[in-house]
Amino acid sequence: MQNKQDENRIIASSLTYTYPEAAKNAVDGVTMRVKKGEFLAILGHNGSGKSTLAKLFNALYVPSAGTVWVCGLDTRDDDLVFDIRQHAGMVFQNPDNQIVATVVEEDVAFGLENNGVEPKEIRVRIDEALKAVNMTKYAKKAPHMLSGGQKQRVAIAGVLAMKPDVIILDESTAMLDPSGRQEVMNTVHRLNKEEGISVVIITHYMAEAATADYVIVMDGGKIAMSGTPREVFTQVQRVRELGLDVPPMTDLAYMLRKNGVNVRADVLTVDEMVEEVCRLSSSN
Amino acid sequence: MLKDITLGQYFPGDSAIHRMDPRMKLILTIIYIVGVFFISNLPGYLLALAFLYLVVRISGIKFDYLLKGVKPLRFIIIFTFVLNLFFVQGETVLFDLGFWRLTKEALENAIYFALRLVFLVMGTSVLTLTTSPVQLTDGLERLMRPLQKFHFPAHELAMMMTIALRFIPTLLEETDKIQKAQMARGADFESGNLIARAKAMIPLLVPLFVSAFRRANDLAMAMEARCYRGGDHRTRLRELKYTKLDLFGALAMAGFIALIVVEGKLLG
Amino acid sequence: MSIVIEQLNYVYMSGGPYETKALSDINLTIGDGEFIGLIGHTGSGKSTLVQHLNGLLMPSSGRILVDGLDLADKATDRRAVRRRVGLVFQYPENQLFEETVEKDIAFGPKNLGLDENEIARRVKDAMRRVALDYDELHERSVFELSGGQMRRVAIAGVLAMEPQVLVLDEPCAGLDPRGREEILSLIRNLHKEAGTTIVMVSHSMDDVASLAERVIVMNHGEVVMDGAPRDVFSCGEELRGMGLDVPQAVMLAQKLREKGYDIPEGLYRTEEIMAEIMKIAGKEAQHA
């Protein structure tokens, strides 16, 4: 176990969750893991069980069956709940509905206050956290004066101040405009690279999933597809069946191949498509 | 009219009054108001006014601003004034209309009561104008903390206040949006009699409540995810400390109270 | 029916310390049957502009003529304007309030003072247009529906007013790809079949590219571009400078051009660029 824990931040085994009085399982026998330092995207249409899964990672929900270990801690153990939530921080969808305090820095301090951290240490940690998300100059501002992207960065800072091993973003970009989405994605990518924090993003934006190390597609509470973004998105037909899009360039590659043009199927970005076109014309 | 109410608004600043500990300001405000309620002659009220004026000057807030805050409450003040005129019994009759006579006691009572209300509003306005909502809730929570021994929910009340303050702007914005959305569907909030208008509020209030409940639900989950577990063992980013300023404040208030007590003795 | 906007200015909190100019000198004509994509980053003034189109906001100066009715004139009957110009707000499901789907959709027509039969007809018609099954859903509570269904009920509530111009503010915000596709296709059909004039506010260049016939770009409260999609999207640099994206197909065309390929200017649809790549590969499109 010790060894496993070193390389995996979250391990889910036959994880199942049923909402009270629901006929079907919202999450149905999911086995997966989040590795140390990994950037994982969980995709799926609305109602596919992806958000429920996220809430099982944070002990907000307790498994109906199966187990999930967060940094080696079993979420079914009541005594470990607060440890687990400190290890695996969560950012939610609606930026307005997760900020508690009336001043930015007070909100960042919220989790630390709950955990009884000394005031001096809180000061140090919130300053660091606000710096890490580039929000230092908004420390004294009222949250409702901020843009959506800024609010979400405050929420990330609040999680970051707890020094988590995993950050889970539960559709945290869904209500943002493109620049807000970009702000949030840049922030979590930087934290992932520089601080080595594992990131789990729950999303239905393909462009965001394309930047992940690994992608899991959920459908009906089960894992329908998994692999690197390339491996997943190349299966254009299957992805569409699951109610999702593919990145526009992957779609273009798919259509070109259907018309007999021999481009690589796993093109994700514009630059890769340019490369493919150059390769085509030089081989002609 | 809503925006005219100074009660509860904060006027950012860095004056000595602003920098005082919120707990001290709360205590002193209460003492001041209680003190004012014991004043029963006009010179006493002049003293109270002078003291308030001094405090407001130090705080850097315009006195007019404070007076403007009383304006929205003028109907309540006039109402209590009239009520006192009618219902206070007295001996010294000023004039008699047969079915009603005005007595000196009633008139005095009415005037004093109205004045007390004015001072109550102005006194608390000074508190809220110079103390940010965050400090105010902090101060309240800490003052009430000893009561927790008797199961008084001090932390919970403070948390509720914080959340209410946090969500007021959000819900105001939302109200505006829903109102416009219903107007776009031909709703009319402005005309018709009282009943028609009350009915017209339903398309506004239902979505607002639905949304407030959804927000509450979301917020509860977000707070849980951030290890919230009530007030026990909770620390705070901001620690409150009494300083010399608070001592000065306390002494000044003691002086004021002494003055009105002496003045009350002298003038009856 | 057309909407003519002349020298429109709008100032927030006029006179106060927080005075901000939200719209300045807007001149636009929205013609009958157009499909306009209105783009701009958050705070560019596009939501403020659309709220002027049906009299929810009053211009600080300038004129807005809707079918000849002057909105700046206080005497103009605003409800007569709102009957002509329907506005679907962002996250419109937040405005639902009635006990049943049918009652909620009927709210608008009822406010217009129509008779029972006409209201019933309009509710059925609006539900058909947004692809909601009347028999199955009309008596259901709106709060039992899925997010995508709630959004469609809200749109139906505006459609039931039978406006000639439909303005939609970010109609796909927050929906998953399937939900988004459903909404976009119903908007497309409204334009095609009923000939409704559409003004669609959107952040998604790809959505605008696939639907709009005319693109208006706003920045800092001004209209900075106004033209056919191919003309607007060919200004990639300027759009990016305003914090906006261009459709990926446009980016691809641009980069291929830089590599020396002969790609015509103004391509913005994936199918168009695909045809070009097929030419490069020496293939003819079989059924592009």
Side-chain angles (χ1 to χ4, degrees):
Chain A
M1 194 64 226
Q2 189 56 43
N3 193 21
K4 255 185 165 174
Q5 183 192 324
D6 280 347
E7 54 194 83
N8 293 315
R9 293 306 192 198
I10 297 175
I11 301 173
S13 166
S14 307
L15 187 57
T16 299
Y17 184 79
T18 321
Y19 283 95
E21 288 166 51
K24 275 175 67 189
N25 294 336
V27 170
D28 196 359
V30 168
T31 297
M32 58 164 289
R33 60 187 182 159
V34 181
K35 287 188 259 182
K36 188 180 171 184
E38 186 175 35
F39 198 110
L40 177 83
I42 301 179
L43 288 166
H45 60 82
N46 288 346
S48 61
K50 58 186 194 305
S51 277
T52 311
L53 187 60
K55 287 175 184 109
L56 285 159
F57 290 166
N58 187 274
L60 285 170
Y61 295 163
V62 179
S64 310
T67 321
V68 54
W69 290 275
V70 177
C71 296
L73 307 172
D74 187 336
T75 63
R76 286 173 305 185
D77 189 340
D78 270 349
D79 297 334
L80 299 176
V81 163
F82 296 110
D83 281 340
I84 289 165
R85 288 179 186 158
Q86 185 260 310
H87 281 294
M90 187 127 160
V91 181
F92 295 86
Q93 180 177 27
N94 192 327
D96 281 321
N97 297 357
Q98 55 185 317
I99 294 183
V100 186
T102 45
V103 179
V104 165
E105 64 174 16
E106 301 248 340
D107 188 72
V108 178
F110 182 71
L112 300 171
E113 293 178 335
N114 291 333
N115 281 350
V117 176
E118 286 305 310
K120 274 197 188 116
E121 173 71 8
I122 296 183
R123 185 78 254 169
V124 174
R125 292 228 221 148
I126 60 175
D127 288 346
E128 277 173 11
L130 281 170
K131 201 171 156 215
V133 299
N134 273 328
M135 288 294 288
T136 304
K137 66 174 174 184
Y138 298 94
K140 309 275 181 198
K141 288 267 187 301
H144 72 269
M145 307 297 279
L146 307 179
S147 73
Q150 288 171 333
K151 283 180 205 162
Q152 291 300 56
R153 275 150 64 202
V154 170
I156 293 172
V159 166
L160 205 58
M162 311 271 277
K163 299 206 184 288
D165 298 298
V166 192
I167 298 181
I168 302 155
L169 289 99
D170 186 6
E171 299 199 45
S172 306
T173 58
M175 296 181 79
L176 305 181
D177 63 5
S179 56
R181 280 210 295 273
Q182 201 56 52
E183 281 170 38
V184 169
M185 287 309 287
N186 289 346
T187 306
V188 288
H189 268 291
R190 207 179 56 239
L191 294 173
N192 175 249
K193 277 208 197 76
E194 289 172 11
E195 319 263 331
I197 299 171
S198 302
V199 174
V200 179
I201 56 164
I202 316 290
T203 183
H204 45 238
Y205 288 107
M206 300 309 122
E208 290 170 7
T211 61
D213 299 326
Y214 199 78
V215 175
I216 287 175
V217 183
M218 299 279 296
D219 188 48
K222 293 188 164 72
I223 294 181
M225 296 173 85
S226 65
T228 62
R230 266 177 226 287
E231 286 163 5
V232 169
F233 292 140
T234 355
Q235 302 174 53
V236 174
Q237 208 57 40
R238 180 86 181 107
V239 171
R240 290 242 167 87
E241 278 165 27
L242 295 171
L244 298 171
D245 275 339
V246 290
M249 289 300 118
T250 315
D251 188 31
L252 178 58
Y254 175 75
M255 291 201 294
L256 282 167
R257 283 168 70 89
K258 249 173 118 181
N259 280 294
V261 180
N262 187 26
V263 290
R264 258 168 46 203
D266 61 354
V267 171
L268 289 179
T269 65
V270 171
D271 289 324
E272 286 170 11
M273 184 53 92
V274 173
E275 240 171 68
E276 280 303 284
V277 174
C278 292
R279 190 180 57 77
L280 271 179
S281 66
S282 62
S283 66
N284 256 359
Chain B
M1 172 168 138
L2 218 62
K3 63 176 189 287
D4 286 337
I5 299 178
T6 48
L7 202 65
Q9 271 188 23
Y10 175 55
F11 197 96
D14 195 36
S15 72
I17 308 289
H18 283 84
R19 279 179 285 137
M20 273 172 72
D21 189 293
R23 289 171 295 181
M24 184 55 81
K25 281 193 269 187
L26 273 161
I27 295 170
L28 295 184
T29 306
I30 293 167
I31 293 177
Y32 178 77
I33 290 168
V34 172
V36 165
F37 267 71
F38 282 106
I39 299 177
S40 52
N41 56 52
L42 281 176
Y45 282 103
L46 278 177
L47 265 174
L49 184 70
F51 185 76
L52 194 69
Y53 184 76
L54 191 74
V55 173
V56 172
R57 274 305 290 269
I58 297 171
S59 74
I61 296 166
K62 282 193 186 123
F63 201 77
D64 294 359
Y65 195 72
L66 210 61
L67 288 174
K68 229 169 63 185
V70 181
K71 231 169 98 183
L73 297 166
R74 60 189 182 276
F75 294 110
I76 301 172
I77 293 166
I78 293 169
F79 181 70
T80 48
F81 180 80
V82 173
L83 217 61
N84 271 299
L85 280 189
F86 276 86
F87 291 105
V88 174
Q89 304 293 322
E91 318 263 289
T92 334
V93 178
L94 292 178
F95 61 86
D96 200 333
L97 289 177
F99 63 93
W100 174 68
R101 51 185 185 187
L102 178 68
T103 62
K104 183 165 166 268
E105 287 80 1
L107 183 66
E108 276 179 351
N109 244 304
I111 291 172
Y112 295 154
F113 220 91
L115 280 173
R116 280 170 199 161
L117 273 179
V118 171
F119 278 99
L120 174 79
V121 173
M122 291 204 295
T124 38
S125 291
V126 171
L127 173 70
T128 58
L129 283 168
T130 60
T131 319
S132 75
V134 178
Q135 283 183 310
L136 210 54
T137 39
D138 269 10
L140 270 174
E141 179 177 3
R142 267 162 247 219
L143 276 180
M144 294 187 300
R145 197 175 276 171
L147 297 176
Q148 262 172 340
K149 284 203 188 82
F150 312 103
H151 301 286
F152 182 79
H155 163 75
E156 285 75 9
L157 276 177
M159 185 52 87
M160 274 163 60
M161 269 178 72
T162 305
I163 291 170
L165 285 168
R166 155 70 188 79
F167 276 90
I168 285 169
T170 311
L171 289 174
L172 279 179
E173 210 172 284
E174 178 130 47
T175 310
D176 181 59
K177 219 188 103 183
I178 296 170
Q179 186 173 14
K180 279 180 176 163
Q182 306 300 25
M183 279 162 76
R185 292 208 278 168
D188 185 356
F189 294 104
E190 275 132 22
S191 55
N193 59 27
L194 211 62
I195 294 167
R197 280 200 199 193
K199 256 181 135 176
M201 295 303 281
I202 293 172
L204 181 61
L205 291 177
V206 173
L208 204 59
F209 274 111
V210 170
S211 142
F213 277 115
R214 198 184 45 237
R215 286 181 194 282
N217 218 350
D218 284 3
L219 187 70
M221 188 163 278
M223 286 170 70
E224 240 187 275
R226 293 172 72 187
C227 301
Y228 182 67
R229 56 192 112 165
D232 297 341
H233 313 296
R234 209 166 177 268
T235 50
R236 299 307 306 271
L237 161 65
R238 211 188 304 271
E239 289 171 295
L240 295 180
K241 267 199 206 94
Y242 290 114
T243 63
K244 251 187 206 160
L245 274 175
D246 300 302
L247 185 65
F248 286 142
L251 285 174
M253 185 58 75
F256 167 69
I257 296 294
L259 263 177
I260 55 169
V261 168
V262 172
E263 182 268 350
K265 283 244 168 75
L266 287 177
L267 297 173
Chain C
M1 193 199 90
S2 64
I3 300 179
V4 180
I5 301 171
E6 289 170 358
Q7 286 296 316
L8 169 63
N9 285 283
Y10 185 73
V11 183
Y12 267 120
M13 292 188 264
S14 177
Y18 298 106
E19 180 176 301
T20 25
K21 202 161 189 191
L23 294 175
S24 64
D25 293 337
I26 308 274
N27 289 292
L28 281 176
T29 301
I30 297 168
D32 206 11
E34 279 196 286
F35 195 129
I36 296 176
L38 182 57
I39 58 182
H41 65 81
T42 308
S44 61
K46 51 191 189 337
S47 291
T48 312
L49 177 63
V50 296
Q51 287 182 31
H52 278 86
L53 298 181
N54 68 348
L56 285 173
L57 288 177
M58 290 283 277
S60 301
S61 71
R63 286 210 311 173
I64 302 168
L65 297 172
V66 175
D67 204 7
L69 297 166
D70 185 357
L71 283 184
D73 183 353
K74 285 212 167 75
T76 303
D77 179 8
R78 259 143 247 295
R79 283 209 273 178
V81 175
R82 285 172 198 155
R83 175 183 312 200
R84 290 174 172 81
V85 183
L87 175 53
V88 178
F89 275 83
Q90 216 180 78
Y91 299 104
E93 56 276 19
N94 291 348
Q95 80 203 27
L96 302 178
F97 70 98
E98 276 284 13
E99 292 152 53
T100 66
V101 169
E102 181 171 36
K103 279 188 183 169
D104 208 289
I105 298 173
F107 179 66
K110 241 185 214 160
N111 287 329
L112 296 181
L114 301 170
D115 69 56
E116 293 289 320
N117 292 335
E118 176 64 8
I119 292 174
R121 181 195 68 75
R122 287 192 175 199
V123 170
K124 281 188 186 150
D125 189 55
M127 284 184 76
R128 183 184 59 77
R129 287 184 187 284
V130 298
L132 289 173
D133 185 41
Y134 177 83
D135 294 323
E136 189 198 331
L137 295 172
H138 77 283
E139 282 197 329
R140 290 269 288 276
S141 159
V142 287
F143 301 108
E144 285 172 12
L145 306 177
S146 75
Q149 283 176 322
M150 282 171 85
R151 173 97 28 121
R152 280 183 280 157
V153 170
I155 294 175
V158 175
L159 289 180
M161 314 264 295
E162 300 196 342
Q164 287 148 287
V165 180
L166 184 64
V167 184
L168 303 115
D169 192 353
E170 293 278 350
C172 300
L175 295 178
D176 67 357
R178 194 176 281 167
R180 199 167 68 226
E181 198 37 63
E182 283 167 357
I183 298 290
L184 289 178
S185 80
L186 83 86
I187 296 170
R188 188 183 292 123
N189 286 342
L190 276 174
H191 181 242
K192 262 201 195 129
E193 285 166 20
T196 311
T197 308
I198 307 273
V199 178
M200 184 172 87
V201 176
S202 180
H203 285 305
S204 164
M205 296 303 141
D206 290 299
D207 291 352
V208 171
S210 72
L211 287 172
E213 295 156 358
R214 174 179 166 196
V215 177
I216 295 173
V217 184
M218 292 193 64
N219 197 27
H220 298 308
E222 288 174 52
V223 171
V224 285
M225 290 183 201
D226 181 358
R230 55 190 68 248
D231 298 327
V232 170
F233 290 135
S234 62
C235 310
E237 279 309 300
E238 284 156 87
L239 287 171
R240 267 191 291 270
M242 289 181 270
L244 300 171
D245 287 330
V246 290
Q248 291 213 346
V250 174
M251 260 155 54
L252 178 62
Q254 176 64 33
K255 289 198 170 167
L256 286 175
R257 237 174 266 130
E258 282 165 16
K259 290 271 178 195
Y261 291 101
D262 179 28
I263 311 276
E265 291 280 338
L267 297 189
Y268 67 97
R269 290 208 159 110
T270 311
E271 305 87 72
E272 296 171 331
I273 187 86
M274 183 171 93
E276 291 301 318
I277 294 175
M278 293 186 61
K279 272 191 221 156
I280 295 169
K283 299 253 181 187
E284 282 305 309
Q286 287 155 8
H287 48 263

